[in-house]
Amino acid sequence: MIDPQHMVPDNLMPFEGIKEAGVRADLLAFLKEATKPGAAPKQSTQMPMKGMGGMVSGGRDPNLKKIEPARQVKALTYCRDTYRVTTVDGKTRTFWERNLRFMTDSSKDGPEKDVPAIMPAGMMGDRAAVIFANPNEIGKFIQPKC
């Protein structure tokens, strides 16, 4: 898809499309081959799974006390089934409630108190984790706002 916003106006899809025709063609060829009846999933040898599965991490977790403003959460609002996360750089992203995870990290590399971090999760850009310094911060940080 070149332009998801044009194809489905007013969608909240964070995916910006694939602009290069060759890359789109490669992706379509891969999907066609991978979805053939009887096609077995292939294991990647580039990045072995760590732990119990889930998304593959590229290495050490970042120090959340030293992240850029685009990863520091300034406000988090909730309306019906949608969260809106505003970061210190002034940008707001929307997430369907099942695509936003709330976590804590009280380690030395965890976020500062009352300055949660947002980290991408998932391969489509539609999921994220908001990481708080303490579990007590979660409920008081999220504000209902429609």
Coordinates of all heavy atoms in Angstrom, one line a residue, residues 12-80:
L12 N -6.7 5.5 11.8 CA -5.7 5.8 12.8 C -4.5 4.9 12.7 O -3.8 4.8 13.6 CB -6.3 5.7 14.2 CG -7.5 6.7 14.5 CD1 -8.1 6.4 15.8 CD2 -7.0 8.1 14.3
M13 N -4.3 4.4 11.5 CA -3.2 3.4 11.2 C -1.9 4.2 11.2 O -1.7 5.1 10.5 CB -3.5 2.7 9.9 CG -2.5 1.6 9.6 SD -2.8 0.7 8.1 CE -4.2 1.5 7.3
P14 N -1.0 3.8 12.1 CA 0.3 4.5 12.1 C 1.2 4.1 11.0 O 2.3 4.7 10.7 CB 1.0 4.0 13.4 CG 0.3 2.7 13.7 CD -1.1 2.8 13.1
F15 N 0.9 3.1 10.2 CA 1.7 2.6 9.0 C 1.6 3.7 7.9 O 0.5 4.0 7.5 CB 1.2 1.3 8.6 CG 1.9 0.7 7.4 CD1 3.3 0.4 7.5 CD2 1.3 0.4 6.2 CE1 4.0 -0.2 6.5 CE2 2.0 -0.1 5.2 CZ 3.3 -0.4 5.3
E16 N 2.7 4.1 7.4 CA 2.8 5.2 6.4 C 2.8 4.6 5.0 O 2.8 5.4 4.0 CB 4.0 6.1 6.6 CG 3.9 6.8 7.9 CD 5.1 7.7 8.2 OE1 5.9 7.9 7.2 OE2 5.2 8.2 9.3
G17 N 2.8 3.3 4.8 CA 2.9 2.7 3.5 C 4.3 2.4 3.1 O 5.2 2.8 3.8
I18 N 4.4 1.7 2.0 CA 5.7 1.4 1.4 C 5.8 2.1 0.1 O 5.1 1.8 -0.9 CB 5.9 -0.1 1.2 CG1 5.7 -0.8 2.5 CG2 7.2 -0.4 0.5 CD1 5.7 -2.3 2.4
K19 N 6.7 3.1 0.0 CA 6.7 4.0 -1.1 C 7.5 3.4 -2.3 O 7.1 3.7 -3.5 CB 7.4 5.3 -0.7 CG 6.9 6.0 0.5 CD 5.4 6.5 0.3 CE 4.9 7.2 1.5 NZ 3.6 7.0 1.8
E20 N 8.5 2.6 -2.1 CA 9.3 2.1 -3.2 C 8.6 0.9 -3.8 O 8.3 -0.1 -3.2 CB 10.7 1.6 -2.7 CG 11.5 2.8 -2.1 CD 11.2 3.0 -0.6 OE1 10.7 2.1 0.0 OE2 11.5 4.1 -0.1
A21 N 8.4 1.0 -5.1 CA 7.7 -0.1 -5.9 C 8.5 -1.4 -5.8 O 7.8 -2.5 -5.6 CB 7.6 0.3 -7.3
G22 N 9.8 -1.5 -5.8 CA 10.5 -2.7 -5.7 C 10.4 -3.4 -4.4 O 10.2 -4.6 -4.3
V23 N 10.3 -2.6 -3.3 CA 10.2 -3.1 -2.0 C 8.7 -3.7 -1.8 O 8.6 -4.8 -1.3 CB 10.4 -2.1 -0.9 CG1 10.1 -2.6 0.5 CG2 11.9 -1.6 -0.9
R24 N 7.7 -3.0 -2.4 CA 6.4 -3.5 -2.3 C 6.3 -4.8 -3.1 O 5.6 -5.8 -2.6 CB 5.4 -2.5 -2.9 CG 5.0 -1.4 -2.0 CD 3.8 -0.6 -2.5 NE 3.8 -0.3 -3.9 CZ 4.4 0.8 -4.4 NH1 5.1 1.6 -3.7 NH2 4.3 1.0 -5.7
A25 N 6.9 -4.9 -4.3 CA 6.9 -6.1 -5.1 C 7.5 -7.3 -4.4 O 7.0 -8.4 -4.4 CB 7.5 -5.8 -6.4
D26 N 8.7 -7.0 -3.7 CA 9.3 -8.1 -2.9 C 8.5 -8.6 -1.8 O 8.4 -9.8 -1.5 CB 10.7 -7.5 -2.4 CG 11.7 -7.3 -3.4 OD1 11.6 -7.8 -4.6 OD2 12.7 -6.7 -3.1
L27 N 7.8 -7.6 -1.1 CA 6.9 -8.0 0.0 C 5.8 -8.9 -0.5 O 5.4 -9.9 0.1 CB 6.4 -6.8 0.7 CG 5.4 -7.1 1.9 CD1 6.0 -8.0 2.9 CD2 4.9 -5.8 2.5
L28 N 5.1 -8.5 -1.6 CA 4.0 -9.2 -2.1 C 4.5 -10.6 -2.6 O 3.8 -11.6 -2.4 CB 3.4 -8.4 -3.3 CG 2.6 -7.2 -2.8 CD1 2.1 -6.4 -4.1 CD2 1.4 -7.5 -1.9
A29 N 5.7 -10.7 -3.2 CA 6.2 -12.0 -3.7 C 6.4 -12.9 -2.5 O 6.1 -14.1 -2.5 CB 7.5 -11.8 -4.5
F30 N 7.0 -12.3 -1.4 CA 7.2 -13.1 -0.2 C 5.9 -13.6 0.4 O 5.8 -14.8 0.8 CB 8.0 -12.3 0.9 CG 8.0 -12.9 2.2 CD1 8.8 -13.9 2.5 CD2 7.1 -12.5 3.2 CE1 8.8 -14.5 3.8 CE2 7.1 -13.0 4.4 CZ 7.9 -14.1 4.7
L31 N 4.9 -12.7 0.5 CA 3.6 -13.1 1.1 C 2.9 -14.2 0.3 O 2.3 -15.1 0.8 CB 2.7 -11.9 1.3 CG 3.2 -10.9 2.3 CD1 2.4 -9.6 2.3 CD2 3.2 -11.5 3.7
K32 N 3.0 -14.0 -1.0 CA 2.4 -15.0 -1.9 C 3.1 -16.4 -1.7 O 2.4 -17.4 -1.6 CB 2.6 -14.6 -3.4 CG 1.9 -15.5 -4.4 CD 2.0 -14.9 -5.8 CE 1.3 -15.9 -6.8 NZ 1.4 -15.4 -8.1
E33 N 4.4 -16.4 -1.6 CA 5.1 -17.7 -1.4 C 4.8 -18.3 0.0 O 4.6 -19.4 0.2 CB 6.6 -17.5 -1.6 CG 7.4 -18.7 -1.5 CD 7.1 -19.7 -2.7 OE1 6.7 -19.2 -3.8 OE2 7.3 -20.9 -2.5
A34 N 4.8 -17.4 1.0 CA 4.7 -17.8 2.4 C 3.3 -18.3 2.7 O 3.1 -19.1 3.7 CB 5.1 -16.7 3.4
T35 N 2.3 -17.9 1.9 CA 0.9 -18.3 2.2 C 0.4 -19.4 1.3 O -0.8 -19.7 1.4 CB 0.0 -17.0 2.2 OG1 0.1 -16.5 0.9 CG2 0.3 -16.0 3.2
K36 N 1.3 -20.0 0.5 CA 0.9 -21.1 -0.3 C 0.5 -22.3 0.6 O 1.1 -22.5 1.7 CB 2.0 -21.6 -1.2 CG 2.3 -20.8 -2.4 CD 3.4 -21.4 -3.2 CE 3.6 -20.6 -4.5 NZ 4.8 -21.2 -5.2
P37 N -0.5 -23.0 0.2 CA -0.9 -24.2 1.0 C 0.3 -25.1 1.2 O 1.0 -25.4 0.3 CB -2.0 -24.9 0.2 CG -2.6 -23.8 -0.6 CD -1.4 -22.8 -0.9
G38 N 0.5 -25.5 2.5 CA 1.6 -26.4 2.8 C 3.0 -25.7 3.0 O 4.0 -26.4 3.3
A39 N 3.0 -24.4 2.8 CA 4.3 -23.7 3.0 C 4.6 -23.7 4.5 O 3.8 -23.3 5.4 CB 4.2 -22.2 2.6
A40 N 5.8 -24.2 4.9 CA 6.2 -24.3 6.3 C 6.9 -23.0 6.7 O 7.6 -22.4 5.9 CB 7.2 -25.4 6.5
P41 N 6.6 -22.5 7.9 CA 7.2 -21.3 8.4 C 8.7 -21.5 8.5 O 9.1 -22.6 9.0 CB 6.6 -21.0 9.7 CG 5.9 -22.2 10.1 CD 5.6 -23.0 8.9
K42 N 9.5 -20.6 8.1 CA 11.0 -20.7 8.2 C 11.5 -20.0 9.5 O 11.0 -18.9 9.8 CB 11.7 -20.2 7.0 CG 11.3 -21.0 5.7 CD 12.0 -20.4 4.5 CE 11.5 -21.2 3.3 NZ 12.1 -20.7 2.1
Q43 N 12.4 -20.6 10.2 CA 13.0 -20.0 11.3 C 14.2 -19.0 10.9 O 15.0 -19.4 10.0 CB 13.6 -21.0 12.3 CG 12.5 -22.0 12.8 CD 12.1 -21.5 14.2 OE1 12.8 -20.8 14.8 NE2 10.9 -22.0 14.6
S44 N 14.2 -17.9 11.5 CA 15.3 -16.9 11.2 C 16.5 -17.3 12.0 O 16.4 -17.6 13.2 CB 14.9 -15.5 11.4 OG 16.0 -14.6 11.3
T45 N 17.7 -17.3 11.4 CA 18.9 -17.5 12.2 C 19.6 -16.2 12.5 O 20.6 -16.2 13.2 CB 19.9 -18.4 11.4 OG1 20.2 -17.8 10.1 CG2 19.3 -19.8 11.1
Q46 N 19.1 -15.1 12.1 CA 19.7 -13.8 12.3 C 19.6 -13.4 13.8 O 20.6 -12.9 14.3 CB 19.1 -12.7 11.4 CG 19.4 -13.0 9.9 CD 18.7 -11.9 9.1 OE1 17.8 -11.3 9.5 NE2 19.3 -11.7 7.9
M47 N 18.4 -13.5 14.4 CA 18.3 -13.1 15.7 C 17.6 -14.2 16.5 O 16.4 -14.3 16.4 CB 17.4 -11.8 15.8 CG 18.1 -10.6 15.2 SD 17.1 -9.1 15.2 CE 17.1 -8.8 17.0
P48 N 18.3 -14.9 17.3 CA 17.6 -16.0 18.1 C 16.7 -15.4 19.1 O 16.8 -14.3 19.6 CB 18.8 -16.7 18.8 CG 19.9 -15.7 18.8 CD 19.7 -14.8 17.6
M49 N 15.6 -16.2 19.4 CA 14.6 -15.8 20.4 C 15.3 -15.8 21.8 O 16.1 -16.6 22.1 CB 13.5 -16.8 20.5 CG 12.6 -16.8 19.2 SD 11.8 -15.2 18.9 CE 10.5 -15.4 20.1
K50 N 14.9 -14.8 22.6 CA 15.5 -14.7 24.0 C 14.3 -14.9 24.9 O 13.2 -14.4 24.7 CB 16.1 -13.3 24.2 CG 17.3 -13.1 23.3 CD 17.8 -11.7 23.6 CE 19.0 -11.4 22.7 NZ 19.6 -10.2 22.8
G51 N 14.6 -15.7 26.0 CA 13.5 -15.9 27.0 C 12.4 -16.8 26.5 O 12.6 -17.7 25.8
M52 N 11.2 -16.4 26.9 CA 10.0 -17.2 26.6 C 9.3 -16.8 25.3 O 8.1 -17.1 25.2 CB 9.1 -17.1 27.8 CG 9.6 -17.6 29.1 SD 9.8 -19.4 29.1 CE 8.1 -19.8 29.1
G53 N 9.9 -16.2 24.4 CA 9.2 -15.9 23.2 C 8.8 -14.4 23.1 O 9.3 -13.6 23.8
G54 N 7.8 -14.1 22.3 CA 7.4 -12.7 22.1 C 8.3 -12.0 21.1 O 8.9 -12.6 20.3
M55 N 8.3 -10.7 21.2 CA 9.1 -9.9 20.2 C 10.6 -10.1 20.5 O 11.0 -10.2 21.7 CB 8.8 -8.5 20.3 CG 7.3 -8.2 19.9 SD 6.9 -8.8 18.2 CE 8.1 -8.0 17.2
V56 N 11.4 -10.2 19.5 CA 12.8 -10.4 19.6 C 13.5 -9.1 19.9 O 13.2 -8.1 19.2 CB 13.4 -11.0 18.3 CG1 14.9 -11.2 18.4 CG2 12.7 -12.3 18.0
S57 N 14.3 -9.1 20.9 CA 15.0 -7.8 21.3 C 16.4 -7.8 20.6 O 17.0 -8.8 20.4 CB 15.2 -7.8 22.8 OG 16.0 -6.8 23.2
G58 N 16.8 -6.6 20.2 CA 18.1 -6.5 19.5 C 19.3 -6.4 20.5 O 20.4 -6.2 20.1
G59 N 19.1 -6.5 21.8 CA 20.2 -6.4 22.7 C 19.7 -5.9 24.1 O 18.6 -6.2 24.5
R60 N 20.5 -5.2 24.7 CA 20.3 -4.7 26.0 C 19.1 -3.7 26.1 O 19.0 -2.9 25.1 CB 21.6 -4.0 26.5 CG 21.8 -4.0 28.0 CD 23.2 -3.5 28.3 NE 23.1 -2.2 28.9 CZ 22.7 -2.1 30.2 NH1 22.3 -3.1 30.9 NH2 22.7 -0.9 30.8
D61 N 18.4 -3.7 27.1 CA 17.3 -2.7 27.3 C 17.9 -1.3 27.4 O 18.9 -1.1 28.1 CB 16.4 -3.0 28.5 CG 15.5 -4.2 28.3 OD1 15.2 -4.5 27.1 OD2 15.2 -4.9 29.3
P62 N 17.3 -0.3 26.9 CA 17.8 1.1 27.0 C 17.7 1.6 28.4 O 16.8 1.2 29.2 CB 17.0 1.9 26.0 CG 15.7 1.2 25.9 CD 16.1 -0.3 26.1
N63 N 18.5 2.6 28.7 CA 18.4 3.3 30.0 C 17.3 4.3 29.8 O 17.4 5.3 29.1 CB 19.7 4.0 30.4 CG 19.7 4.7 31.7 OD1 18.6 5.1 32.2 ND2 20.8 4.8 32.3
L64 N 16.2 4.1 30.5 CA 15.0 4.9 30.3 C 15.1 6.3 31.0 O 14.2 7.1 30.9 CB 13.7 4.2 30.8 CG 13.5 2.8 30.1 CD1 12.3 2.1 30.7 CD2 13.3 3.1 28.6
K65 N 16.2 6.5 31.8 CA 16.4 7.8 32.4 C 17.1 8.7 31.4 O 17.1 9.9 31.6 CB 17.3 7.6 33.7 CG 16.6 7.0 34.8 CD 17.5 6.9 36.0 CE 16.8 6.4 37.3 NZ 16.0 5.2 37.2
K66 N 17.6 8.2 30.3 CA 18.4 8.9 29.4 C 17.8 8.8 28.0 O 18.5 8.8 27.0 CB 19.8 8.4 29.3 CG 20.5 8.6 30.7 CD 21.9 8.0 30.6 CE 22.6 8.2 31.9 NZ 24.0 7.7 31.9
I67 N 16.5 8.8 27.8 CA 15.9 8.7 26.5 C 15.5 10.0 26.0 O 15.3 11.0 26.7 CB 14.7 7.7 26.5 CG1 13.6 8.1 27.5 CG2 15.1 6.3 26.8 CD1 12.3 7.4 27.5
E68 N 15.3 10.1 24.7 CA 15.0 11.4 24.0 C 13.5 11.8 24.3 O 12.7 11.0 24.7 CB 15.2 11.2 22.5 CG 14.2 10.3 21.8 CD 14.7 8.8 21.8 OE1 15.7 8.5 22.5 OE2 14.1 8.0 21.1
P69 N 13.2 13.1 24.2 CA 11.9 13.6 24.5 C 10.7 12.8 23.7 O 9.6 12.7 24.3 CB 11.9 15.0 24.0 CG 13.4 15.4 24.1 CD 14.1 14.1 23.8
A70 N 11.0 12.3 22.6 CA 10.0 11.6 21.8 C 9.6 10.3 22.5 O 8.6 9.7 22.2 CB 10.5 11.2 20.4
R71 N 10.3 9.8 23.5 CA 10.0 8.6 24.2 C 9.6 8.9 25.7 O 9.2 8.0 26.4 CB 11.3 7.7 24.3 CG 11.7 7.2 23.0 CD 11.1 5.9 22.7 NE 11.6 5.4 21.4 CZ 10.8 5.2 20.4 NH1 9.5 5.4 20.5 NH2 11.2 4.8 19.2
Q72 N 9.6 10.2 26.1 CA 9.2 10.5 27.5 C 7.7 10.9 27.4 O 7.3 11.9 26.7 CB 10.0 11.7 28.0 CG 11.5 11.4 28.1 CD 12.3 12.6 28.5 OE1 11.8 13.7 28.6 NE2 13.6 12.4 28.7
V73 N 6.9 10.3 28.2 CA 5.4 10.5 28.2 C 5.1 11.7 29.1 O 5.5 11.8 30.2 CB 4.6 9.3 28.7 CG1 3.2 9.6 28.7 CG2 5.0 8.1 27.8
K74 N 4.4 12.7 28.5 CA 4.0 13.9 29.2 C 2.5 13.7 29.7 O 2.2 14.2 30.7 CB 4.1 15.1 28.2 CG 3.6 16.4 28.7 CD 3.8 17.5 27.7 CE 3.2 18.8 28.1 NZ 3.4 19.8 27.0
A75 N 1.7 13.1 28.9 CA 0.3 12.9 29.2 C -0.3 11.6 28.6 O 0.2 11.2 27.5 CB -0.6 14.1 28.7
L76 N -1.2 11.0 29.3 CA -1.8 9.8 28.8 C -3.3 9.9 29.1 O -3.7 10.0 30.3 CB -1.2 8.6 29.5 CG -1.2 7.3 28.8 CD1 -0.2 6.3 29.4 CD2 -2.6 6.7 28.8
T77 N -4.1 9.9 28.1 CA -5.6 10.0 28.3 C -6.3 8.8 27.7 O -5.7 8.1 26.9 CB -6.2 11.3 27.6 OG1 -6.0 11.2 26.2 CG2 -5.5 12.6 28.2
Y78 N -7.5 8.6 28.2 CA -8.3 7.4 27.8 C -9.7 7.8 27.5 O -10.3 8.6 28.3 CB -8.2 6.4 29.0 CG -9.0 5.2 28.7 CD1 -8.5 4.2 27.9 CD2 -10.3 5.0 29.3 CE1 -9.2 3.0 27.7 CE2 -11.0 3.8 29.0 CZ -10.5 2.8 28.2 OH -11.2 1.7 28.0
C79 N -10.2 7.4 26.4 CA -11.6 7.6 26.0 C -12.2 6.4 25.3 O -11.6 5.9 24.3 CB -11.7 8.8 25.1 SG -13.4 9.2 24.6
R80 N -13.2 5.8 25.9 CA -13.8 4.5 25.4 C -12.7 3.4 25.2 O -12.2 2.9 26.2 CB -14.6 4.8 24.2 CG -15.9 5.6 24.6 CD -16.8 5.8 23.4 NE -16.4 6.8 22.4 CZ -16.6 8.1 22.7 NH1 -17.1 8.5 23.8 NH2 -16.2 9.0 21.8

